[in-house]
Amino acid sequence: MQHIFEHGTNGRTLLLLHGTGGTERDLIGLAKKIDENANILSVRGNVLENGMPRFFRRVAEGVFDMEDLFFRTKELHDFVQQASVDYQFDHNQIIAIGYSNGANIAGSLLFHHEKSLRAAILHHPMVPNRDAQIPSLQHVDVWIGAGTNDFMCPAQESEQLEQMLKAHGANVETAWFHDGHQLTMPEVQAAKAWYTGIFK
Ligand code: MLT
């Protein structure tokens, strides 16, 4: 997969997953604000929708092509595992940071591939799969940034995602914002405060 890797010094790796129409460059600045000493692995989605990169196909806005979601989630999982060998980072210390479509594939990693992530920061996510056999998420920390007025990811999606993750053992915190689907600086600062509390 097309990607950027930058070496850090603290043994953690931030896996960056952009939103629809984004690229692997989008979240680098944000990642440096969260943890400037971590490795960065930033990946571009392999699917194109009218020329816009995404991590999996959808049949309509908010309606996912489930077969493609499973295929692309495994493809990303395998890619990240191989990258941990190639770049020699600890695959037990991967923290995903995803926005929108990128948050949804990060959620899908958690739902379908046990121990794929140590933690995740999910900006404006949805429930990736309501029928998943979710593995144990004990010792997984998740922060959700959600919008009370997000037209793309309705509030109940974020609430349901939180409940489903918690039901399988994850430690989840949700923070609410009022700027629609936008990822704003106060949201990034709140994610950083949470991250700093988890990884003291
Ligand atoms: C998705 O398709 O993943 C969601 O609708 C969010 C987005 O449009 O990126």
Side-chain angles (χ1 to χ4, degrees):
M1 296 181 82
Q2 196 160 326
H3 67 281
I4 294 169
F5 183 81
E6 286 182 18
H7 273 288
T9 53
N10 65 15
R12 293 193 285 272
T13 300
L14 302 179
L15 172 63
L16 309 185
L17 303 164
H18 61 78
T20 299
T23 75
E24 67 279 16
R25 307 214 160 268
D26 290 8
L27 300 179
I28 304 263
L30 182 152
K32 305 254 188 221
K33 288 194 170 59
I34 301 286
D35 184 348
E36 60 184 1
N37 297 317
N39 302 318
I40 287 176
L41 176 60
S42 189
V43 186
R44 185 184 297 199
N46 260 349
V47 164
L48 280 181
E49 181 186 280
N50 301 321
M52 297 184 296
R54 285 176 54 85
F55 286 96
F56 56 88
R57 290 182 207 289
R58 59 181 165 183
V59 279
E61 219 163 74
V63 185
F64 303 155
D65 174 336
M66 297 309 287
E67 207 176 304
D68 194 58
L69 176 68
F70 299 142
F71 176 80
R72 299 293 171 190
T73 306
K74 182 171 187 315
E75 179 183 55
L76 177 63
H77 177 65
D78 292 349
F79 169 78
V80 171
Q81 293 300 309
Q82 186 58 45
S84 74
V85 177
D86 295 344
Y87 294 116
Q88 303 191 333
F89 63 82
D90 183 350
H91 64 91
N92 293 312
Q93 293 296 326
I94 300 171
I95 298 110
I97 303 179
Y99 167 59
S100 190
N101 182 245
N104 293 340
I105 194 115
S108 185
L109 281 172
L110 291 169
F111 270 33
H112 301 119
H113 294 275
E114 190 164 9
K115 296 194 163 65
S116 53
L117 300 174
R118 162 66 188 83
I121 293 176
L122 306 177
H123 295 287
H124 302 263
M126 298 171 72
V127 174
N129 173 12
R130 293 208 149 65
D131 305 316
Q133 301 283 322
I134 302 174
S136 166
L137 295 169
Q138 294 276 339
H139 312 298
V140 176
D141 295 290
V142 181
W143 185 88
I144 296 174
T148 51
N149 56 348
D150 185 338
F151 66 95
M152 190 74 91
C153 303
Q156 62 266 29
E157 286 279 336
S158 309
E159 285 163 359
Q160 268 182 32
L161 179 63
E162 172 174 343
Q163 283 160 15
M164 291 173 87
L165 293 167
K166 277 186 172 165
H168 292 84
N171 166 36
V172 188
E173 194 175 304
T174 300
W176 291 96
F177 302 87
H178 316 288
D179 301 291
H181 196 56
Q182 280 184 73
L183 175 45
T184 62
M185 199 39 79
E187 182 170 334
V188 174
Q189 281 157 356
K192 184 190 169 66
W194 171 86
Y195 180 97
T196 309
I198 298 285
F199 298 102
K200 290 177 190 77

